[in-house]
Amino acid sequence: MLDTTALHDAYDSLLEAAVTVADSAHLRTPRPGEWNADRILAHVCLVTAGTIAAVAAVAAGEHTTYDNRHALDTWTIDRVVEQAGGSPGLRARLRRQVEILCGFGGPALSDPELDSPVPLLGLSAGALLTDAVVPLRGLFKGLADIEIPNHTRQLLALLPEKTAV
């Protein structure tokens, strides 16, 4: 059985930060190569959708992998921003994705399914972070403990000094 409380809380914090940034009249300009708020949210939507796909594959009795390279492609990110309709649409999309992903918690997946090996390739800013086989439950933990909190901090870093939390 999987408790998704920490994952849900991490996404709640990210979405709260996204609203704070969207409501701010003044934002810092991202440094060259860094993303604005919409690109950060689109990236998180892509990461979340990829995780949902991997989890659903295991639930369907299939073998799966997780590779985040598509979620780093700026053309794909910009297309998601456009298709979602900008910040409000990205936040709404992500809220629905969180419901779906966290819906795999509790008794939705058995321990053997959660222990299913998933080859994971994770990159960030062109650097290899992970190239390993992890249990499916590790995808949930990685999002809750690392990925989502890092992007929450990234969003909040767009705020002026006096506003940043």
Side-chain angles (χ1 to χ4, degrees), residues 1-145:
M1 194 142 103
L2 181 68
D3 181 359
T4 58
T5 304
L7 181 60
H8 203 280
D9 290 348
Y11 275 107
D12 282 349
S13 294
L14 179 123
L15 287 163
E16 183 179 313
V19 169
T20 299
V21 168
D23 289 347
S24 178
H26 303 285
L27 296 175
R28 291 182 184 191
T29 302
R31 289 184 224 134
E34 292 184 356
W35 295 335
N36 63 21
D38 284 353
R39 280 186 167 180
I40 293 167
L41 287 176
H43 166 76
V44 173
C45 285
L46 287 164
V47 166
T48 304
T51 305
I52 291 167
V55 174
V58 170
E62 300 173 8
H63 296 285
T64 192
T65 62
Y66 184 86
D67 179 342
N68 78 335
R69 287 179 289 184
H70 73 286
L72 300 171
D73 178 71
T74 54
W75 184 90
T76 303
I77 289 170
D78 290 343
R79 186 166 185 252
V80 169
V81 171
E82 181 182 328
Q83 289 179 337
S87 276
L90 289 165
R91 290 192 310 267
R93 176 179 291 197
L94 191 54
R95 280 187 195 95
R96 294 306 303 256
Q97 288 178 331
V98 171
E99 290 175 23
I100 293 165
L101 185 58
C102 289
F104 284 105
L109 294 170
S110 68
D111 282 330
E113 288 169 317
L114 292 166
D115 292 334
S116 295
V118 178
L120 168 63
L121 182 64
L123 284 77
S124 179
L128 179 65
L129 297 178
T130 307
D131 185 3
V133 177
V134 300
L136 182 66
R137 71 177 77 244
L139 296 182
F140 289 91
K141 185 166 176 39
L143 286 175
D145 293 351

